[in-house]
Amino acid sequence: QVQLMQSGAEVKKPGASVKVSCRASGYTFTDYYIHWVRQAPGQGLEWMGWINPNSGGTNFAQTFEGRVTLTRDSSISTAYMELPTLTFDDTAVYYCAREGLNSIDYWGQGTLVTVSS
Amino acid sequence: DVVMTQSPLSLPVTLGQPASISCRSSQSLIYSDGISYLSWFQQRPGQSPRRLIYKVSNRDSGVPDRFSGSGSGTDFTLKISRVEAEDVGVYYCMQGTHWPYTFGQGTKLEIK
């Protein structure tokens, strides 16, 4: 069965960076884009961007363009989201999710990133 | 970006009664292939979102048939025929026709 397993919760200081991983299993990793979605505490879902695991090509929402880096290591079926220079506003749960029919069909369990001094 | 507007934002429902959530987009969601890429997601408390409906009206595997989706163009609806306790959570619509994908604000369904 399709699974997306994300790395564990992180606590970071303002100005630090965070890198979240997302390991895929149960399907051919390079056949489906991976999306990243952010959810601030008590808030809704915000689409951040996607990566094409086959080519490494990426696309971002304007809010995150130039700030977020999406990469992948196809040899271990893992996608990564890196966010530098964290601020308190970056405190959120970050989800990876699989593209499915111009939609999102499977989600990871989420990674809570807390920015605290 | 396409703005997705849901209503209501809060939906108290009696067990066994129907519920309906509206989602309106600021642009038509009809893609060049004639398909509207509108999806519905359920997020139970403390859980990741789960897709219920894709391409307006197609239920995902394992989704109870009390959930149904309808609509076209810019106006879409998610209906629950008889609300059960396990349906408590927040429901989001999402469009995948235009980049970037965008979500509605969410509708919180609770039991009266």
Side-chain angles (χ1 to χ4, degrees):
Chain A
Q1 72 282 25
V2 174
Q3 284 192 321
L4 298 171
M5 189 62 62
Q6 298 184 225
S7 47
E10 304 260 15
V11 180
K12 296 289 184 180
K13 291 195 184 308
S17 65
V18 69
K19 190 171 185 177
V20 177
S21 67
C22 170
R23 181 168 53 85
S25 61
Y27 72 98
T28 301
F29 179 65
T30 49
D31 282 352
Y32 297 84
Y33 288 14
I34 292 288
H35 296 264
W36 290 87
V37 177
R38 180 163 89 171
Q39 187 169 38
Q43 301 300 308
L45 302 169
E46 183 180 23
W47 182 81
M48 299 174 67
W50 55 248
I51 183 166
N52 178 341
N54 188 39
S55 67
T58 55
N59 193 9
F60 298 96
Q62 196 164 6
T63 308
F64 298 98
E65 183 82 57
R67 193 156 175 244
V68 172
T69 301
L70 301 182
T71 56
R72 92 292 188 211
D73 183 342
S74 299
S75 69
I76 56 171
S77 300
T78 300
Y80 302 92
M81 186 281 298
E82 186 166 15
L83 195 54
T85 324
L86 292 165
T87 70
F88 296 119
D89 288 344
D90 293 317
T91 293
V93 175
Y94 292 81
Y95 293 100
C96 66
R98 194 184 81 160
E99 163 79 23
L101 300 169
N102 285 63
S103 178
I104 288 173
D105 58 2
Y106 290 94
W107 296 70
Q109 83 275 23
T111 297
L112 174 61
V113 175
T114 303
V115 182
S116 172
S117 54
Chain B
D1 296 359
V2 176
V3 177
M4 305 297 289
T5 303
Q6 289 183 228
S7 63
L9 299 184
S10 178
L11 184 56
V13 184
T14 301
L15 285 174
Q17 293 301 301
S20 180
I21 301 170
S22 168
C23 176
R24 291 197 165 98
S25 57
S26 60
Q27 299 177 36
S28 172
L29 298 187
I30 302 174
Y31 192 56
S32 52
D33 59 7
I35 297 172
S36 291
Y37 290 100
L38 187 285
S39 305
W40 288 96
F41 297 87
Q42 175 195 60
Q43 187 174 33
R44 291 173 172 150
Q47 294 187 14
S48 301
R50 165 201 182 197
R51 194 175 68 181
L52 301 174
I53 302 282
Y54 62 96
K55 290 195 286 185
V56 180
S57 59
N58 295 270
R59 260 192 314 274
D60 273 277
S61 174
V63 174
D65 61 8
R66 64 178 182 275
F67 290 92
S68 64
S70 62
S72 63
T74 61
D75 241 307
F76 303 91
T77 302
L78 174 71
K79 289 183 179 172
I80 309 173
S81 58
R82 294 171 309 279
V83 169
E84 298 189 5
E86 66 178 19
D87 299 335
V88 165
V90 181
Y91 292 79
Y92 297 92
C93 60
M94 188 200 85
Q95 66 83 20
T97 297
H98 306 279
W99 288 115
Y101 289 2
T102 45
F103 293 92
Q105 320 96 299
T107 295
K108 186 172 185 178
L109 186 150
E110 59 182 27
I111 305 300
K112 261 190 218 176

